[in-house]
Amino acid sequence: WWWTRRLKAGLLALVAPATAGPRVEPYRPAETETFDGGNPGELSAKPWWDSFDDPALAQVMDQGLAGNGDLGAAWERVDQSRAAAFGALAPQLPSLSFDVNANAAPTDTLGFPFGGLPTAPGEDEPPEAYYQRAAMLNARVPLDFWGPQVQMYRAGRFESEAAAGDRDAQAISLSVLVGGAYFDAVTAGAQATLIEGQVEAQESLLDLTELRYRETDTSGLDVLQQRQQLEAAHAQLPTARAQLHTSRQRLAALLGLDDETALPALPTDLPD
């Protein structure tokens, strides 16, 4: 009987429906459960860059949101998805049409109908040509409110909403990139100006040291050290100018401009 029980158990395992393991429900906090995040204050309805009170930054942002090619393509995809959704709904809309037809043909083409050809009053012979006219008013009201076309419209509407969300997310990301490139360009410009001022100061100090050396008021070591400091300041200029050029080119690319020369005038200092 032992092997009989094993055989029955095997057959039951084959015919019994497969059962999944216990389902683990995700954690859902209660409605009364809250988190204390302090008092962040009221959210501003203005864009984040307006809080800096920097007119140049606001101008760059407006230009970037209006001229960036990727963001413009995102706007076009939203319009395309909306048009596709309404295109799917078009067959479900009521329609009204009016058709008019008029035909003329020789009377001989009628053959020999029973009773002869009709004649007009006061005429012995039938006319040489006959005319046919028809007018028709067509009205169509579809009643399929749950058919494939309606479902395609709903899917297209959701698709357009998703495309609008992608566009908004892309606009936010673009604003962050434009803001970072703007601050980098302003910082690089201020740094290049600072180094140029240091070079001018080192040149003036070298002239003064050489004058003191000619008056035997200082040693030649001081002159050599000052020349070394001047050359060190000169060595920083190419890097600072290259960084300024790179940051301005990156900002111009984000704004959809061909070259950095088309950039608006940037300030020399960062906003407070």
Side-chain angles (χ1 to χ4, degrees), residues 56 59-60 63 248 251 255 257 260-266:
Q59 180 183 358
V60 166
Q63 192 170 356
R248 289 177 60 88
L251 180 59
L255 301 186
L257 303 177
E260 63 172 308
T261 57
L263 286 174
L266 301 181

Side-chain angles (χ1 to χ4, degrees), residues 34-126:
T34 59
F35 298 93
D36 185 9
N39 185 15
E42 296 182 359
L43 295 177
S44 175
K46 297 181 179 179
W48 62 264
W49 53 87
D50 286 349
S51 61
F52 290 96
D53 294 329
D54 189 349
L57 176 60
Q59 180 183 358
V60 166
M61 282 294 180
D62 293 340
Q63 192 170 356
L65 294 176
N68 185 267
D70 293 336
L71 187 58
W75 276 96
E76 297 297 334
R77 284 192 293 269
V78 173
D79 295 340
Q80 180 184 10
S81 59
R82 288 176 179 172
F86 283 108
L89 185 63
Q92 298 300 116
L93 298 178
S95 61
L96 183 66
S97 62
F98 182 71
D99 300 331
V100 177
N101 295 321
N103 297 322
T107 306
D108 297 340
T109 59
L110 293 177
F112 300 96
F114 181 77
L117 294 174
T119 58
E123 295 184 359
D124 298 333
E125 298 293 333

Side-chain angles (χ1 to χ4, degrees), residues 180-255:
Y182 171 81
F183 291 137
D184 289 343
V186 174
T187 303
Q191 186 174 4
T193 303
L194 177 62
I195 294 176
E196 290 173 355
Q198 290 177 350
V199 170
E200 293 179 359
Q202 295 294 341
E203 289 177 346
S204 300
L205 188 56
L206 177 60
D207 294 338
L208 180 60
T209 305
E210 290 178 346
L211 178 61
R212 293 180 59 191
Y213 175 74
R214 287 194 296 269
E215 298 294 334
T216 66
D217 193 17
T218 185
S219 64
L221 178 61
D222 294 335
V223 176
L224 295 177
Q225 288 177 346
Q226 185 57 38
R227 289 178 180 176
Q228 183 180 9
Q229 292 180 3
L230 176 61
E231 294 302 325
H234 272 294
Q236 296 178 5
L237 272 178
T239 303
R241 289 171 178 171
Q243 186 175 0
L244 174 60
H245 175 70
T246 302
S247 59
R248 289 177 60 88
Q249 285 284 12
R250 181 161 61 95
L251 180 59
L254 290 172
L255 301 186

